[in-house]
Structures are given as structure tokens and as C-alpha cells.
Amino acid sequence: MQAKNLFPNTYLIVGVCSDELTHNLKGFTVMNEAERYDAVQHCRYVDEVVRNAPWTLTPEFLEEHRIDFVAHDDIPYSSAGSDDVYKDIKDAGMFAPTERTEGISTSDIITRIVRDYDVYARRNLQRGYTAKELNVSFINEKRYNLQERVDKVKKKVKDVEEKSKEFVQKVEEKSIDLIQKWEEKSREFIGNFLEMFGPEGALKHMLKEGKGRMLQAISPKQSPNSSPTRDRSPSPSFRWPFSTKSSPPASPGRRSRATTRAYDISEDEED
């Protein structure tokens, strides 16, 4: 992007070295040359890719591709027995310096891969790659598989703990809800009980009303005082002899000693 924006009208050519040249002069690459060619070609700032580009740019190469300026960061690049491969281009006034982007470096990427090698190796073993394809020894393969199983167990334990916490939380919430409902029902029950059996409850009024009806049924109302009254006729009396002996009638006005005494028993006395 920086090289493309150096001039108002820039036709950007990017040279990509082959695998053989890169391996000999710099080191082993992660992506092969075909992948690197395609990756650079699909960059939106690139107009043309020169494949199998030379490691050191010669005047003949620059003239062949009609190159006016060479863009690269200004830090001396030592390689192929030279302290700075761009020294001649800088001296010719054909060098356009750019700035490095912090954190964007093949060396940084390789460092991260090496640092997390075990993680990547375990992950690819789980994805189906063989130990031979990953260049992993037999012992390391078994160690990675064991570590993977241990991590799965840890994950299961963690999941169980989280589910247990959720279950306990739900039980607590349910318990609180049940207690609140129980308190509401208890207050409702106590209120209904007092309304029925309290000092002024419905049961007392029902008993009073029933008692009044019973008393009214047992003791009917008396006749009014103004109603005519009839004298009760004297209860008929009868003579109850205490002796079976008969005596001659006494003379009027006198009683015989032998006369059997009798009692007049009225109806009330009989009762």
C-alpha cells in the first residue's frame, strides 16, 4: 500500500523468489512458491507479479522490467555476503523507502507458531493428521493424546460444576418462591380461621341464631294478658279407703270413731 501510494500514477511490480533460492539464502518457507505467487497476485495494490525474481536486483533486471524505483524499508538488508543488498540502488537514487508495519513480520508469525507448537500439533492430530505428517515422534503423539483426554475430563468437570451451580440457583429460587406462597396461604388460612372461629366470627353468630331458634321452639310465646281466662274446675276428688271394712253411715253432723278416714286427693296433689 505504501509503495502504491508513493506517486500519483504508480504501476506496482512485486518480485517473488522461488523456493530453491529462498531456502538456500534465507530459510525454509511455510508456503510454497505457488502459494506465495497467488497470495501476492490477489493483493489489490499489486499490478504485476514477477515470478522467480532474483535475490539481488541488477541493472539489467531493472531495465528489462522498466523499473524506475525500488521500494523497501530503509533498514540495511544483509544477505548473500552483502551488508545491504540495496546499496547500489540507493547510490543510484532509485530507492523509495517504506516503513515497516509493527507486528506484521514473517519472523513474528514463525515465532508464534514455534511458541504454540504443542497446541497446533494436538489440534491437528485431533483433526485427523497423522504423527508422520506432523513430524511428531511416537512418544510425543502419546503425550498429546493423553493431554487431550485430560483436557476433555477437565472440561466435563467444569461443565458439571457450572450445571450444578445453575441447579442450586434454580432450587434456591424455587424454594424462595414456595416459601412466599406458603406464607401467603398461611395468612389466608389464619384469616379464614379467625373469620369463622374468632370472637366475632361467623360460627358464634350461627350458634346464637340456632340457640334462639331452639329456645323459641321449646318455650312458645304465652297468651297475651288481655285474653279471657277460664277458671279451672276443681279437680275431681276420689276417696281412697285405707280399710276394706265398711261401717254404717254416721248420723248427720257426727262422725263415728270407726269411720274410716279418707283423704281427698286433688289432681295437683296426685301429680
Side-chain angles (χ1 to χ4, degrees):
M1 183 184 67
Q2 294 180 42
K4 183 71 173 179
N5 295 327
L6 284 173
F7 306 100
N9 297 311
T10 302
Y11 184 83
L12 185 60
I13 302 172
V14 179
V16 181
C17 300
S18 65
D19 285 347
E20 182 182 0
L21 186 60
T22 306
H23 294 169
N24 290 334
L25 298 178
K26 187 172 184 178
F28 186 77
T29 59
V30 177
M31 300 170 63
N32 58 43
E33 60 183 30
E35 294 171 339
R36 289 185 282 114
Y37 294 153
D38 289 340
V40 175
Q41 183 63 62
H42 286 85
C43 178
R44 61 178 176 171
Y45 302 109
V46 177
D47 297 308
E48 182 182 345
V49 175
V50 177
R51 302 189 179 196
N52 194 18
W55 197 259
T56 302
L57 301 180
T58 62
E60 293 77 18
F61 180 84
L62 298 177
E63 184 178 356
E64 178 186 356
H65 294 280
R66 301 168 58 186
I67 297 173
D68 300 312
F69 293 93
V70 177
H72 198 273
D73 63 83
D74 200 17
I75 300 175
Y77 190 79
S78 60
S79 179
S82 173
D83 294 337
D84 189 359
V85 295
Y86 297 107
K87 183 179 183 302
D88 294 338
I89 296 175
K90 291 177 181 179
D91 293 340
M94 298 176 64
F95 187 80
T98 59
E99 295 181 0
R100 288 193 176 189
T101 304
E102 188 68 26
I104 304 299
S105 170
T106 54
S107 299
D108 293 341
I109 294 173
I110 293 172
T111 300
R112 282 185 288 174
I113 293 174
V114 173
R115 181 189 61 195
D116 300 327
Y117 172 77
D118 289 348
V119 176
Y120 299 139
R122 286 172 50 192
R123 183 176 65 185
N124 284 289
L125 284 173
Q126 295 301 317
R127 289 177 175 177
Y129 288 90
T130 64
K132 185 177 180 181
E133 291 174 332
L134 298 174
N135 196 26
V136 173
S137 65
F138 176 80
I139 296 176
N140 285 336
E141 180 187 6
K142 300 305 178 184
R143 181 169 63 87
Y144 292 150
N145 291 333
L146 177 61
Q147 187 63 43
E148 189 69 24
R149 288 194 292 268
V150 171
D151 291 345
K152 287 182 178 179
V153 172
K154 289 181 179 179
K155 186 177 183 301
K156 288 183 179 180
V157 172
K158 185 176 180 181
D159 293 341
V160 171
E161 290 179 353
E162 292 178 354
K163 290 181 180 179
S164 300
K165 291 179 181 179
E166 293 178 359
F167 176 75
V168 172
Q169 185 177 1
K170 289 182 180 179
V171 170
E172 290 178 352
E173 294 176 355
K174 192 68 175 178
S175 301
I176 294 173
D177 185 52
L178 290 174
I179 291 173
Q180 291 177 350
K181 290 183 178 180
W182 181 83
E183 290 177 350
E184 293 176 359
K185 291 294 182 182
S186 298
R187 288 192 293 267
E188 182 180 355
F189 174 79
I190 293 172
N192 294 334
F193 182 85
L194 294 176
E195 185 178 354
M196 175 62 71
F197 300 101
E200 300 297 331
L203 182 62
K204 183 176 181 180
H205 294 291
M206 291 171 60
L207 292 176
K208 286 182 178 180
E209 185 177 353
K211 182 178 180 181
R213 290 180 180 178
M214 292 176 63
L215 292 175
Q216 185 177 3
I218 295 173
S219 302
K221 295 181 179 180
Q222 297 180 356
S223 301
N225 295 330
S226 59
S227 61
T229 57
R230 293 183 300 174
D231 296 335
R232 296 179 61 184
S233 59
S235 300
S237 60
F238 64 92
R239 194 176 297 276
W240 194 352
F242 285 85
S243 174
T244 56
K245 294 181 179 181
S246 62
S247 60
S251 61
R254 295 180 62 185
R255 290 184 180 178
S256 173
R257 293 181 179 178
T259 301
T260 303
R261 295 182 179 180
Y263 291 89
D264 291 336
I265 303 175
S266 65
E267 185 179 357
D268 295 337
E269 292 172 349
E270 181 182 2
D271 292 341

